[in-house]
Amino acid sequence: MLTRDESIAAVDYHRGLVIPDRLNQRTHAAYKSLAEQILEVYRRGVGKRRRELHQEVHRVFAQEPECPLRRIEAFCKLLDDQSVYASQERRSAAALRREVFSHAAGLHPLVERMDSLFENSAEEVRRQISQRLQRDWQDISDSLFADVIDFHRLESFPGYAGPRELLSRYNVAQIQAALFSAISITVRAGADFKRILRAGRLARLMHTITAPQPGCWQIELTGPASVLRETRRYGVNFARFLHALICCCDWTMEAMMESRGLRNLRLHLSSRDGLRSHLPPDDKFDSAVEAEFAAKWGEEDREGWSLRREAEILHAGQKTFIPDFVLEHVTGRRVLLEIVGFWTPEYLEQRVRTLQLFRGVPIVLAIQEANAARIAQAVAGADVIAFRKVLQVKSVLEVLRGLPGVSA
Amino acid sequence: MRPGSSILSFSAGTLLLSGIPCDRLNEWLPRAGCVFDPRAGVCRCDALHLRQVVAELERRRIRFENQVAVPREVFWKAESLCELRPEQTAAVEAWLQADRRGCIVMPTGTGKTEVALRIMQLTRCSTLVVSPIRDLMYQWHRRILRSLNYDAGIIGDSIHRVQPVSVTTYDSACIHMPNQRDQFGLIIFDECHHLPGGIRRDAARMSAAGARLGLTATPERPDGRHEDLTELIGPIVYELSIAAVRGKTLADYDVVRIPMHLSASEQRRYDMLAEEVQTYVYQARQVNPGFTWEQLCMSSAVSGEARRALRAFHGKKSIEDRATEKLRTLEDLFRLHGNERCIVFAGSNAMARDVSLRFLIPCLLSQCGKREWLEILEGFASGKYPAIVANQVLDEGIDVPAAKVAIVIGGLSSSRQARQRLGRVLRRSGNERAILYEVVCAGTSDESRSRQRRRHESFQGVRRKRGRSTC
């Protein structure tokens, strides 16, 4: 991630928007070749010190007419993030200093012009130390501060797959850095809202959910202290959340930024902006059991029931419950289906507590045999299907037929 | 209201209060700023107000369940605190009298740490000490171990070891305070003038500690936000002025200013760079009359020319900072004070390393590990190392063994910095007067910075020798 010092964002006061720096092929065609050149600096830079590498990167951009200094520094940061710097020399630097300074301490002050009172010439002392350590003085003075960040040596550069990947990482990193100043984020989500919600929770944010229209959820994400004051203390959480968000599809996001002057500025983003995450997307299904069941049920109605994935959200305070499936009957009647698969006892317990919160909602629980009795007892009133390994379509239909008021 | 139906709890650096309507709370506790949080269905306020909230509810005989963890008691195994001087005892008394909330203002070198340690000893409850930088954090750790025989926990510097008594930095405290499961009864803010800055104040707001102590030599901030310290920590309960202790606790000192000149080649390069900067600014003002240099630095240079101008500016500063003549002047000063302990303050890490490499004297830099740091300071105290060099990291609060000679070779000008720096050499030992040398380049912006530095009140009334040039 970038820091504030490398962050670049333009402000459109007219529309009240913060626009993070973004490099794209149309307007910044030259950057593909620049990115390739700076990657090459690092690829060939093994053995060089960080400061030299940064100077070389700066040189690559020297002829580029329109390029903020911060952008160059941001590239250096992103390249460093994917670099391995040698640690051996670093570790021995302190011991070397101690040896050199201890030797020189008794001879203080080291002078360049000798006189009768002070006769320890700097040159002579350096020679002595050099002899004692059996090392060239140039080599000693070179390693003396090897632990200073600027002087770390590049050991290897796993780097980025290519210039495209570096540029795409840059674009995402600038948005993340801009979000450090965000005070809240509102996401409008369609199909992927469950994953988005989960990402928000993983980033330790609190949510408020509304449904402006069917099939669309609006999730406002803030931190605990956000109700007390406008605070950017959750900016890092938003930046972390962004990574997960751009792996999802079908969403728009609006971040409210820390107010500057009179206006509250916003930052807009959507799944159509073509951002790519370097993180692998997480699984669509929580478990194989769900995926298999959905595949077996298929697209069509069965006895008037159609199956929709994660189409309903129940919430009570900060507890939300998104059943795996909603079964919708042609008559408009809806029944929820939750599959409780192979899980740890802690997970089951938490699941039971959540289910108890939403007692009274028509729900069918499909539970793995070993746990069925325990859960059925804890969540009295729910219809329970016990299954061994695979949840059968016919056993679900059987339960649906048995529901009061449903004629087969 | 059903009795016992109210619950007070701690959550992520805030207090949650359920069972009492929010407007009622605001009527009772106008300063706590309770807000109804629809996400959780309860009222929320900053943890800072815990003591006030509990006191008010109890006064009104409201029954509530207090789920906020009670600070643990701490039993010191064997204390070896040194005897306090009268002014230190007065500071401790003043804080106790002020309901255990307040700031103590004492000049650097007059034993603020000892005052805080005595307060910890008397308070005997779980304590968090917050300091500006990690080096200071480790120093607190050592002082607590030595004086109170307690191995304190450390939160920060990639360590997360929470103990009933712990040390941390402002930045870590701000991040970790909401996660604190164990509550601290006493929170100490060292160099507390750092606290009101931006989000750092969360370190105070998100803590539920009832007893609060702020320590500083310089409470005032240029932005005026020091007034917020009253709410975040407490009012100033004790103040000791530098004039009151000069010559008693602190050594009397002289300030000697040494102007020096750039070498011919440095001056040529300096003038060239200065012209480059001026030309750029001149041209920029033709287009935009309101253009300022700060604007260029802030918006970060976009065009190639702007980047070159910025580089010229930094080059100029680096020449001032690292002028070779400074090293020669330093050699003369070291000759003059050959057998006295000298501490050199450099304006940048690069210059500190230049000095270290030229004279082969230890250099205190932020990358030094804590063992090396300790070795250098102890070596300086024992006389093993006759001189050391440091960058601004040493400016505040680090316990430096008494030095009689301090040499400032470049650095920023601000009254606080200058005062803290003075504090380093002011430690009393015997009857000797201390000397502070300022080595500045004549005819550069270094000179105007030194002038600003001297304008500050710490320098007023100080006996001043006439500046002299070096040979």
mmCIF file of all heavy atoms in Angstrom, chain B residues 295-336:
data_model
loop_
_atom_site.group_PDB
_atom_site.id
_atom_site.type_symbol
_atom_site.label_atom_id
_atom_site.label_comp_id
_atom_site.label_asym_id
_atom_site.label_seq_id
_atom_site.Cartn_x
_atom_site.Cartn_y
_atom_site.Cartn_z
ATOM 1 N N GLN B 295 3.267 26.003 -2.489
ATOM 2 C CA GLN B 295 2.326 25.384 -3.427
ATOM 3 C C GLN B 295 3.030 24.321 -4.263
ATOM 4 O O GLN B 295 2.505 23.247 -4.486
ATOM 5 C CB GLN B 295 1.780 26.446 -4.371
ATOM 6 C CG GLN B 295 0.342 26.795 -4.108
ATOM 7 C CD GLN B 295 -0.039 27.968 -4.969
ATOM 8 O OE1 GLN B 295 0.733 28.896 -5.188
ATOM 9 N NE2 GLN B 295 -1.244 27.930 -5.475
ATOM 10 N N LEU B 296 4.234 24.657 -4.695
ATOM 11 C CA LEU B 296 4.999 23.728 -5.509
ATOM 12 C C LEU B 296 5.303 22.456 -4.721
ATOM 13 O O LEU B 296 5.117 21.348 -5.202
ATOM 14 C CB LEU B 296 6.299 24.393 -5.962
ATOM 15 C CG LEU B 296 7.282 23.480 -6.702
ATOM 16 C CD1 LEU B 296 6.702 23.029 -8.023
ATOM 17 C CD2 LEU B 296 8.598 24.196 -6.933
ATOM 18 N N CYS B 297 5.727 22.652 -3.477
ATOM 19 C CA CYS B 297 6.080 21.489 -2.666
ATOM 20 C C CYS B 297 4.856 20.629 -2.388
ATOM 21 O O CYS B 297 4.930 19.412 -2.371
ATOM 22 C CB CYS B 297 6.697 21.923 -1.334
ATOM 23 S SG CYS B 297 8.217 22.837 -1.564
ATOM 24 N N MET B 298 3.718 21.288 -2.163
ATOM 25 C CA MET B 298 2.517 20.551 -1.774
ATOM 26 C C MET B 298 1.901 19.815 -2.948
ATOM 27 O O MET B 298 1.615 18.643 -2.862
ATOM 28 C CB MET B 298 1.489 21.502 -1.173
ATOM 29 C CG MET B 298 1.859 21.896 0.228
ATOM 30 S SD MET B 298 0.496 21.912 1.358
ATOM 31 C CE MET B 298 -0.919 22.221 0.355
ATOM 32 N N SER B 299 1.681 20.527 -4.017
ATOM 33 C CA SER B 299 0.982 19.903 -5.141
ATOM 34 C C SER B 299 1.922 18.955 -5.877
ATOM 35 O O SER B 299 1.505 18.262 -6.778
ATOM 36 C CB SER B 299 0.477 20.975 -6.095
ATOM 37 O OG SER B 299 1.575 21.608 -6.708
ATOM 38 N N SER B 300 3.171 18.946 -5.467
ATOM 39 C CA SER B 300 4.211 18.128 -6.068
ATOM 40 C C SER B 300 4.363 18.432 -7.550
ATOM 41 O O SER B 300 3.408 18.469 -8.318
ATOM 42 C CB SER B 300 4.001 16.638 -5.829
ATOM 43 O OG SER B 300 2.782 16.233 -6.348
ATOM 44 N N ALA B 301 5.595 18.648 -7.893
ATOM 45 C CA ALA B 301 5.915 19.156 -9.213
ATOM 46 C C ALA B 301 5.386 18.260 -10.316
ATOM 47 O O ALA B 301 5.533 17.055 -10.270
ATOM 48 C CB ALA B 301 7.418 19.276 -9.320
ATOM 49 N N VAL B 302 4.785 18.858 -11.309
ATOM 50 C CA VAL B 302 4.248 18.085 -12.416
ATOM 51 C C VAL B 302 5.184 18.144 -13.610
ATOM 52 O O VAL B 302 5.575 17.133 -14.160
ATOM 53 C CB VAL B 302 2.846 18.596 -12.791
ATOM 54 C CG1 VAL B 302 2.390 17.957 -14.084
ATOM 55 C CG2 VAL B 302 1.866 18.281 -11.677
ATOM 56 N N SER B 303 5.577 19.343 -13.994
ATOM 57 C CA SER B 303 6.399 19.468 -15.193
ATOM 58 C C SER B 303 7.859 19.159 -14.873
ATOM 59 O O SER B 303 8.278 19.179 -13.724
ATOM 60 C CB SER B 303 6.287 20.879 -15.749
ATOM 61 O OG SER B 303 6.930 21.772 -14.875
ATOM 62 N N GLY B 304 8.613 18.882 -15.925
ATOM 63 C CA GLY B 304 10.028 18.609 -15.755
ATOM 64 C C GLY B 304 10.748 19.770 -15.098
ATOM 65 O O GLY B 304 11.578 19.580 -14.225
ATOM 66 N N GLU B 305 10.393 21.025 -15.492
ATOM 67 C CA GLU B 305 11.060 22.206 -14.922
ATOM 68 C C GLU B 305 10.790 22.286 -13.427
ATOM 69 O O GLU B 305 11.676 22.579 -12.638
ATOM 70 C CB GLU B 305 10.563 23.513 -15.556
ATOM 71 C CG GLU B 305 10.960 23.721 -17.004
ATOM 72 C CD GLU B 305 9.867 23.274 -17.944
ATOM 73 O OE1 GLU B 305 8.796 23.912 -17.944
ATOM 74 O OE2 GLU B 305 10.067 22.264 -18.655
ATOM 75 N N ALA B 306 9.524 22.047 -13.058
ATOM 76 C CA ALA B 306 9.168 22.142 -11.647
ATOM 77 C C ALA B 306 9.953 21.127 -10.844
ATOM 78 O O ALA B 306 10.444 21.400 -9.761
ATOM 79 C CB ALA B 306 7.671 21.913 -11.472
ATOM 80 N N ARG B 307 10.079 19.921 -11.403
ATOM 81 C CA ARG B 307 10.830 18.894 -10.685
ATOM 82 C C ARG B 307 12.289 19.296 -10.535
ATOM 83 O O ARG B 307 12.898 19.093 -9.503
ATOM 84 C CB ARG B 307 10.723 17.556 -11.422
ATOM 85 C CG ARG B 307 9.360 16.916 -11.292
ATOM 86 C CD ARG B 307 9.421 15.416 -11.522
ATOM 87 N NE ARG B 307 9.988 15.038 -12.797
ATOM 88 C CZ ARG B 307 9.270 14.852 -13.904
ATOM 89 N NH1 ARG B 307 7.972 15.044 -13.892
ATOM 90 N NH2 ARG B 307 9.840 14.473 -15.025
ATOM 91 N N ARG B 308 12.824 19.916 -11.602
ATOM 92 C CA ARG B 308 14.223 20.357 -11.525
ATOM 93 C C ARG B 308 14.374 21.453 -10.475
ATOM 94 O O ARG B 308 15.345 21.473 -9.717
ATOM 95 C CB ARG B 308 14.709 20.831 -12.892
ATOM 96 C CG ARG B 308 15.380 19.705 -13.682
ATOM 97 C CD ARG B 308 16.101 20.230 -14.901
ATOM 98 N NE ARG B 308 15.182 20.826 -15.871
ATOM 99 C CZ ARG B 308 14.431 20.102 -16.713
ATOM 100 N NH1 ARG B 308 14.499 18.793 -16.700
ATOM 101 N NH2 ARG B 308 13.619 20.687 -17.563
ATOM 102 N N ALA B 309 13.394 22.379 -10.419
ATOM 103 C CA ALA B 309 13.470 23.468 -9.441
ATOM 104 C C ALA B 309 13.432 22.912 -8.023
ATOM 105 O O ALA B 309 14.161 23.348 -7.136
ATOM 106 C CB ALA B 309 12.322 24.445 -9.651
ATOM 107 N N LEU B 310 12.587 21.920 -7.844
ATOM 108 C CA LEU B 310 12.463 21.307 -6.525
ATOM 109 C C LEU B 310 13.778 20.622 -6.144
ATOM 110 O O LEU B 310 14.232 20.702 -5.006
ATOM 111 C CB LEU B 310 11.322 20.286 -6.558
ATOM 112 C CG LEU B 310 10.657 19.960 -5.231
ATOM 113 C CD1 LEU B 310 10.120 21.218 -4.578
ATOM 114 C CD2 LEU B 310 9.518 18.970 -5.450
ATOM 115 N N ARG B 311 14.379 19.975 -7.143
ATOM 116 C CA ARG B 311 15.641 19.308 -6.881
ATOM 117 C C ARG B 311 16.718 20.343 -6.537
ATOM 118 O O ARG B 311 17.534 20.132 -5.645
ATOM 119 C CB ARG B 311 16.062 18.469 -8.089
ATOM 120 C CG ARG B 311 16.976 17.323 -7.692
ATOM 121 C CD ARG B 311 17.226 16.384 -8.858
ATOM 122 N NE ARG B 311 15.988 15.861 -9.412
ATOM 123 C CZ ARG B 311 15.782 15.681 -10.723
ATOM 124 N NH1 ARG B 311 16.713 15.990 -11.592
ATOM 125 N NH2 ARG B 311 14.642 15.171 -11.143
ATOM 126 N N ALA B 312 16.703 21.475 -7.243
ATOM 127 C CA ALA B 312 17.673 22.539 -6.962
ATOM 128 C C ALA B 312 17.499 23.041 -5.534
ATOM 129 O O ALA B 312 18.467 23.277 -4.812
ATOM 130 C CB ALA B 312 17.490 23.690 -7.950
ATOM 131 N N PHE B 313 16.243 23.156 -5.126
ATOM 132 C CA PHE B 313 15.958 23.631 -3.776
ATOM 133 C C PHE B 313 16.532 22.667 -2.726
ATOM 134 O O PHE B 313 17.171 23.077 -1.759
ATOM 135 C CB PHE B 313 14.441 23.770 -3.612
ATOM 136 C CG PHE B 313 14.002 24.109 -2.230
ATOM 137 C CD1 PHE B 313 14.204 25.383 -1.710
ATOM 138 C CD2 PHE B 313 13.386 23.155 -1.425
ATOM 139 C CE1 PHE B 313 13.799 25.695 -0.435
ATOM 140 C CE2 PHE B 313 12.983 23.460 -0.148
ATOM 141 C CZ PHE B 313 13.187 24.738 0.351
ATOM 142 N N HIS B 314 16.313 21.377 -2.964
ATOM 143 C CA HIS B 314 16.841 20.401 -2.017
ATOM 144 C C HIS B 314 18.369 20.388 -2.040
ATOM 145 O O HIS B 314 19.013 20.224 -1.005
ATOM 146 C CB HIS B 314 16.293 19.005 -2.324
ATOM 147 C CG HIS B 314 14.844 18.874 -1.952
ATOM 148 N ND1 HIS B 314 14.398 19.143 -0.678
ATOM 149 C CD2 HIS B 314 13.748 18.544 -2.669
ATOM 150 C CE1 HIS B 314 13.093 18.965 -0.644
ATOM 151 N NE2 HIS B 314 12.676 18.603 -1.839
ATOM 152 N N GLY B 315 18.941 20.581 -3.244
ATOM 153 C CA GLY B 315 20.389 20.633 -3.369
ATOM 154 C C GLY B 315 20.959 21.781 -2.562
ATOM 155 O O GLY B 315 21.963 21.647 -1.873
ATOM 156 N N LYS B 316 20.250 22.913 -2.616
ATOM 157 C CA LYS B 316 20.658 24.110 -1.886
ATOM 158 C C LYS B 316 20.674 23.830 -0.380
ATOM 159 O O LYS B 316 21.621 24.147 0.329
ATOM 160 C CB LYS B 316 19.614 25.190 -2.182
ATOM 161 C CG LYS B 316 20.151 26.566 -2.374
ATOM 162 C CD LYS B 316 18.996 27.523 -2.678
ATOM 163 C CE LYS B 316 18.380 28.043 -1.416
ATOM 164 N NZ LYS B 316 17.303 28.994 -1.559
ATOM 165 N N LYS B 317 19.595 23.203 0.067
ATOM 166 C CA LYS B 317 19.497 22.906 1.495
ATOM 167 C C LYS B 317 20.592 21.941 1.933
ATOM 168 O O LYS B 317 21.144 22.050 3.020
ATOM 169 C CB LYS B 317 18.122 22.307 1.815
ATOM 170 C CG LYS B 317 17.177 23.364 2.286
ATOM 171 C CD LYS B 317 15.856 22.875 2.824
ATOM 172 C CE LYS B 317 15.809 21.556 3.525
ATOM 173 N NZ LYS B 317 14.439 21.132 3.818
ATOM 174 N N SER B 318 20.863 20.992 1.044
ATOM 175 C CA SER B 318 21.872 19.995 1.382
ATOM 176 C C SER B 318 23.263 20.627 1.477
ATOM 177 O O SER B 318 24.078 20.220 2.289
ATOM 178 C CB SER B 318 21.798 18.876 0.341
ATOM 179 O OG SER B 318 23.009 18.210 0.267
ATOM 180 N N ILE B 319 23.533 21.652 0.642
ATOM 181 C CA ILE B 319 24.834 22.330 0.735
ATOM 182 C C ILE B 319 24.961 23.047 2.075
ATOM 183 O O ILE B 319 25.962 22.920 2.773
ATOM 184 C CB ILE B 319 25.022 23.325 -0.433
ATOM 185 C CG1 ILE B 319 25.177 22.563 -1.740
ATOM 186 C CG2 ILE B 319 26.254 24.211 -0.200
ATOM 187 C CD1 ILE B 319 25.281 23.439 -2.971
ATOM 188 N N GLU B 320 23.898 23.763 2.457
ATOM 189 C CA GLU B 320 23.905 24.445 3.761
ATOM 190 C C GLU B 320 24.168 23.439 4.862
ATOM 191 O O GLU B 320 24.969 23.641 5.751
ATOM 192 C CB GLU B 320 22.516 25.030 4.062
ATOM 193 C CG GLU B 320 22.200 26.305 3.379
ATOM 194 C CD GLU B 320 20.721 26.638 3.576
ATOM 195 O OE1 GLU B 320 20.099 26.117 4.525
ATOM 196 O OE2 GLU B 320 20.201 27.419 2.774
ATOM 197 N N ASP B 321 23.420 22.359 4.736
ATOM 198 C CA ASP B 321 23.407 21.375 5.795
ATOM 199 C C ASP B 321 24.744 20.657 5.929
ATOM 200 O O ASP B 321 25.240 20.436 7.018
ATOM 201 C CB ASP B 321 22.287 20.384 5.468
ATOM 202 C CG ASP B 321 22.119 19.360 6.538
ATOM 203 O OD1 ASP B 321 22.192 19.759 7.701
ATOM 204 O OD2 ASP B 321 21.911 18.177 6.209
ATOM 205 N N ARG B 322 25.306 20.308 4.796
ATOM 206 C CA ARG B 322 26.480 19.444 4.832
ATOM 207 C C ARG B 322 27.757 20.160 4.417
ATOM 208 O O ARG B 322 28.704 19.521 3.972
ATOM 209 C CB ARG B 322 26.244 18.223 3.932
ATOM 210 C CG ARG B 322 25.061 17.400 4.395
ATOM 211 C CD ARG B 322 24.718 16.318 3.422
ATOM 212 N NE ARG B 322 25.665 15.210 3.452
ATOM 213 C CZ ARG B 322 25.514 14.111 2.716
ATOM 214 N NH1 ARG B 322 24.504 14.000 1.899
ATOM 215 N NH2 ARG B 322 26.394 13.147 2.796
ATOM 216 N N ALA B 323 27.784 21.490 4.566
ATOM 217 C CA ALA B 323 28.966 22.249 4.168
ATOM 218 C C ALA B 323 30.207 21.647 4.813
ATOM 219 O O ALA B 323 30.222 21.358 6.010
ATOM 220 C CB ALA B 323 28.802 23.707 4.577
ATOM 221 N N THR B 324 31.251 21.472 4.007
ATOM 222 C CA THR B 324 32.462 20.828 4.527
ATOM 223 C C THR B 324 33.110 21.674 5.621
ATOM 224 O O THR B 324 33.756 21.150 6.517
ATOM 225 C CB THR B 324 33.485 20.574 3.396
ATOM 226 O OG1 THR B 324 33.511 21.728 2.575
ATOM 227 C CG2 THR B 324 33.109 19.361 2.597
ATOM 228 N N GLU B 325 32.894 22.994 5.523
ATOM 229 C CA GLU B 325 33.469 23.888 6.528
ATOM 230 C C GLU B 325 32.936 23.542 7.920
ATOM 231 O O GLU B 325 33.617 23.707 8.926
ATOM 232 C CB GLU B 325 33.131 25.338 6.163
ATOM 233 C CG GLU B 325 33.693 26.398 7.088
ATOM 234 C CD GLU B 325 35.214 26.519 7.043
ATOM 235 O OE1 GLU B 325 35.807 26.088 6.041
ATOM 236 O OE2 GLU B 325 35.779 27.018 8.023
ATOM 237 N N LYS B 326 31.722 23.038 7.962
ATOM 238 C CA LYS B 326 31.145 22.675 9.258
ATOM 239 C C LYS B 326 31.986 21.595 9.930
ATOM 240 O O LYS B 326 32.185 21.609 11.130
ATOM 241 C CB LYS B 326 29.708 22.194 9.089
ATOM 242 C CG LYS B 326 28.722 23.338 8.880
ATOM 243 C CD LYS B 326 27.295 22.830 8.851
ATOM 244 C CE LYS B 326 26.322 23.998 8.735
ATOM 245 N NZ LYS B 326 24.953 23.557 8.481
ATOM 246 N N LEU B 327 32.462 20.666 9.124
ATOM 247 C CA LEU B 327 33.289 19.592 9.686
ATOM 248 C C LEU B 327 34.604 20.156 10.206
ATOM 249 O O LEU B 327 35.120 19.725 11.233
ATOM 250 C CB LEU B 327 33.552 18.513 8.631
ATOM 251 C CG LEU B 327 32.337 17.674 8.217
ATOM 252 C CD1 LEU B 327 32.727 16.666 7.156
ATOM 253 C CD2 LEU B 327 31.748 16.948 9.423
ATOM 254 N N ARG B 328 35.139 21.171 9.487
ATOM 255 C CA ARG B 328 36.393 21.763 9.932
ATOM 256 C C ARG B 328 36.181 22.543 11.239
ATOM 257 O O ARG B 328 36.976 22.463 12.165
ATOM 258 C CB ARG B 328 36.947 22.685 8.843
ATOM 259 C CG ARG B 328 38.383 22.328 8.489
ATOM 260 C CD ARG B 328 38.795 22.943 7.184
ATOM 261 N NE ARG B 328 38.184 22.292 6.040
ATOM 262 C CZ ARG B 328 37.841 22.918 4.919
ATOM 263 N NH1 ARG B 328 38.019 24.211 4.791
ATOM 264 N NH2 ARG B 328 37.311 22.243 3.935
ATOM 265 N N THR B 329 35.063 23.270 11.307
ATOM 266 C CA THR B 329 34.746 24.002 12.529
ATOM 267 C C THR B 329 34.594 23.035 13.699
ATOM 268 O O THR B 329 35.036 23.291 14.816
ATOM 269 C CB THR B 329 33.433 24.789 12.336
ATOM 270 O OG1 THR B 329 33.523 25.518 11.132
ATOM 271 C CG2 THR B 329 33.179 25.717 13.489
ATOM 272 N N LEU B 330 33.954 21.920 13.387
ATOM 273 C CA LEU B 330 33.744 20.909 14.408
ATOM 274 C C LEU B 330 35.086 20.399 14.936
ATOM 275 O O LEU B 330 35.256 20.190 16.137
ATOM 276 C CB LEU B 330 32.933 19.764 13.789
ATOM 277 C CG LEU B 330 32.068 18.937 14.722
ATOM 278 C CD1 LEU B 330 31.187 19.821 15.561
ATOM 279 C CD2 LEU B 330 31.203 17.989 13.892
ATOM 280 N N GLU B 331 36.026 20.232 14.023
ATOM 281 C CA GLU B 331 37.350 19.770 14.442
ATOM 282 C C GLU B 331 37.951 20.754 15.444
ATOM 283 O O GLU B 331 38.497 20.361 16.479
ATOM 284 C CB GLU B 331 38.268 19.617 13.225
ATOM 285 C CG GLU B 331 39.645 19.096 13.603
ATOM 286 C CD GLU B 331 40.567 18.880 12.391
ATOM 287 O OE1 GLU B 331 40.081 18.366 11.369
ATOM 288 O OE2 GLU B 331 41.751 19.235 12.484
ATOM 289 N N ASP B 332 37.810 22.055 15.152
ATOM 290 C CA ASP B 332 38.338 23.074 16.067
ATOM 291 C C ASP B 332 37.663 23.008 17.429
ATOM 292 O O ASP B 332 38.305 23.137 18.464
ATOM 293 C CB ASP B 332 38.141 24.463 15.466
ATOM 294 C CG ASP B 332 39.066 24.681 14.279
ATOM 295 O OD1 ASP B 332 40.118 24.022 14.239
ATOM 296 O OD2 ASP B 332 38.722 25.485 13.395
ATOM 297 N N LEU B 333 36.357 22.825 17.406
ATOM 298 C CA LEU B 333 35.629 22.778 18.678
ATOM 299 C C LEU B 333 36.029 21.540 19.482
ATOM 300 O O LEU B 333 36.136 21.594 20.707
ATOM 301 C CB LEU B 333 34.118 22.796 18.428
ATOM 302 C CG LEU B 333 33.584 24.125 17.897
ATOM 303 C CD1 LEU B 333 32.111 23.998 17.533
ATOM 304 C CD2 LEU B 333 33.770 25.231 18.930
ATOM 305 N N PHE B 334 36.232 20.440 18.786
ATOM 306 C CA PHE B 334 36.656 19.228 19.481
ATOM 307 C C PHE B 334 38.055 19.423 20.092
ATOM 308 O O PHE B 334 38.338 18.958 21.180
ATOM 309 C CB PHE B 334 36.691 18.035 18.519
ATOM 310 C CG PHE B 334 35.339 17.420 18.261
ATOM 311 C CD1 PHE B 334 35.072 16.734 17.082
ATOM 312 C CD2 PHE B 334 34.322 17.504 19.211
ATOM 313 C CE1 PHE B 334 33.840 16.161 16.839
ATOM 314 C CE2 PHE B 334 33.079 16.930 18.976
ATOM 315 C CZ PHE B 334 32.841 16.264 17.780
ATOM 316 N N ARG B 335 38.914 20.158 19.380
ATOM 317 C CA ARG B 335 40.240 20.455 19.934
ATOM 318 C C ARG B 335 40.088 21.290 21.198
ATOM 319 O O ARG B 335 40.751 21.055 22.210
ATOM 320 C CB ARG B 335 41.057 21.288 18.948
ATOM 321 C CG ARG B 335 41.704 20.516 17.829
ATOM 322 C CD ARG B 335 42.316 21.551 16.882
ATOM 323 N NE ARG B 335 42.575 20.992 15.564
ATOM 324 C CZ ARG B 335 43.789 20.633 15.145
ATOM 325 N NH1 ARG B 335 44.823 20.761 15.917
ATOM 326 N NH2 ARG B 335 43.940 20.130 13.942
ATOM 327 N N LEU B 336 39.213 22.280 21.107
ATOM 328 C CA LEU B 336 39.010 23.209 22.218
ATOM 329 C C LEU B 336 38.485 22.484 23.456
ATOM 330 O O LEU B 336 38.832 22.803 24.587
ATOM 331 C CB LEU B 336 38.008 24.280 21.763
ATOM 332 C CG LEU B 336 37.930 25.566 22.560
ATOM 333 C CD1 LEU B 336 39.280 26.254 22.558
ATOM 334 C CD2 LEU B 336 36.873 26.475 21.930
#
